Amino acid sequence: SSGINAEYGVHIKRVTSSLNRNIGALRHLCPRLPPCLRKTVYCAFIQSHILFAITVWGSAGRLSKLLPIFTAQKKAIRLIFKLPRLCIPGSSGIRAPAHTKSTFNTSGLLSVHNLYSLTIIREAHSYFTSGSSSGSARLLNFSDHSNRAILPPGIIKTLGNNYIFAAPKLWNVAIKVKGIKDHIGERSFNAILRCWLLQLQSDGDPNEWTENNFTEKMIDRLAGK
């Protein structure tokens, strides 16, 4: 509903403000930050804030809705990993912000869109394997006719609907991937899931982001739609 979407929008603004405040504080820390601590600092000051309650507000889904958080992520990556600005040919010295896609991928970091997918699928896996969950996975209904599929509550039209619609779509596509399917119930599942999402995120040009890197389109593509 429009009321729920408005609430999501308010929370996204709060997360974005929190990230920007931390980025401001990091400007004093990063000049003295050794390379070995860059990912740790990013996860502590940036990613931890994004992950909080992401299964709820992350269902805003569409790129335009999550763009402010993704923009803050890229700003943080440039600062923490000390990415130099790019020279624009023929621009008389004007420099553009550095590309971040390759740094995300080589550092094993996911965009907000893919962190949402990771968390949703991981929660569903936890519930499937243990039958207990502290999150919304308790609301999921596994099919009696398939030992792994989740039954959606109705026709899924968009990924960015809500958790109960997003979880079945994400989970049912993920378990079709042999590398993931073969490790359901194993400790290695989460690591393999993250590698799969990083592979999808890395697709295409090594520098330029496309919608296929972080929206429902990459899931639809894998599903053969």
Side-chain angles (χ1 to χ4, degrees):
S1 68
S2 59
I4 293 176
N5 288 333
E7 290 180 10
Y8 290 170
V10 170
H11 189 79
I12 288 171
K13 287 182 179 179
R14 288 175 179 170
V15 174
T16 304
S17 297
S18 178
L19 296 180
N20 285 330
R21 284 196 300 271
N22 283 355
I23 290 170
L26 285 171
R27 294 188 187 281
H28 303 287
L29 171 65
C30 287
R32 298 181 295 277
L33 187 67
C36 63
L37 293 180
R38 288 173 181 171
K39 183 174 179 178
T40 300
V41 168
Y42 173 86
C43 291
F45 284 83
I46 305 299
Q47 185 165 287
S48 62
H49 291 266
I50 296 173
L51 287 174
F52 181 74
I54 194 173
T55 56
V56 179
W57 58 264
S59 61
R62 296 175 182 173
L63 176 60
S64 59
K65 296 286 186 180
L66 299 178
L67 183 59
I69 293 178
F70 183 51
T71 298
Q73 277 187 291
K74 292 189 289 183
K75 188 187 302 182
I77 288 288
R78 293 185 183 107
L79 175 64
I80 296 171
F81 288 83
K82 300 180 181 179
L83 303 185
R85 295 179 68 86
L86 303 174
C87 293
I88 301 177
S91 63
S92 301
I94 297 176
R95 293 177 177 266
H99 296 300
T100 59
K101 184 177 178 180
S102 62
T103 303
F104 267 94
N105 295 328
T106 57
S107 301
L109 299 171
L110 294 169
S111 72
V112 56
H113 316 81
N114 296 333
L115 285 173
Y116 174 68
S117 299
L118 175 73
T119 308
I120 290 282
I121 298 171
R122 192 166 55 189
E123 271 200 10
H125 179 256
S126 175
Y127 185 62
F128 175 80
T129 55
S130 67
S132 62
S133 173
S134 59
S136 302
R138 290 172 294 178
L139 303 174
L140 302 178
N141 181 23
F142 285 91
S143 172
D144 293 332
H145 302 287
S146 168
N147 63 347
R148 292 189 172 105
I150 299 175
L151 294 173
I155 298 175
I156 301 176
K157 295 181 179 180
T158 63
L159 180 63
N161 203 326
N162 58 41
Y163 179 90
I164 299 304
F165 285 88
K169 184 171 185 177
L170 287 167
W171 171 262
N172 293 342
V173 168
I175 63 174
K176 293 179 182 178
V177 180
K178 189 176 186 303
I180 294 177
K181 182 178 181 180
D182 292 345
H183 291 84
I184 292 176
E186 298 180 5
R187 290 185 176 182
S188 58
F189 179 86
N190 288 341
I192 291 171
L193 173 62
R194 178 179 285 274
C195 288
W196 172 61
L197 289 171
L198 279 168
Q199 182 181 359
L200 293 175
Q201 182 175 272
S202 305
D203 188 42
D205 188 279
N207 293 319
E208 298 294 336
W209 295 95
T210 70
E211 286 191 349
N212 286 334
N213 295 135
F214 39 53
T215 68
E216 66 269 22
K217 290 186 179 180
M218 74 176 185
I219 298 295
D220 288 340
R221 186 176 74 247
L222 194 67
K225 296 180 179 181

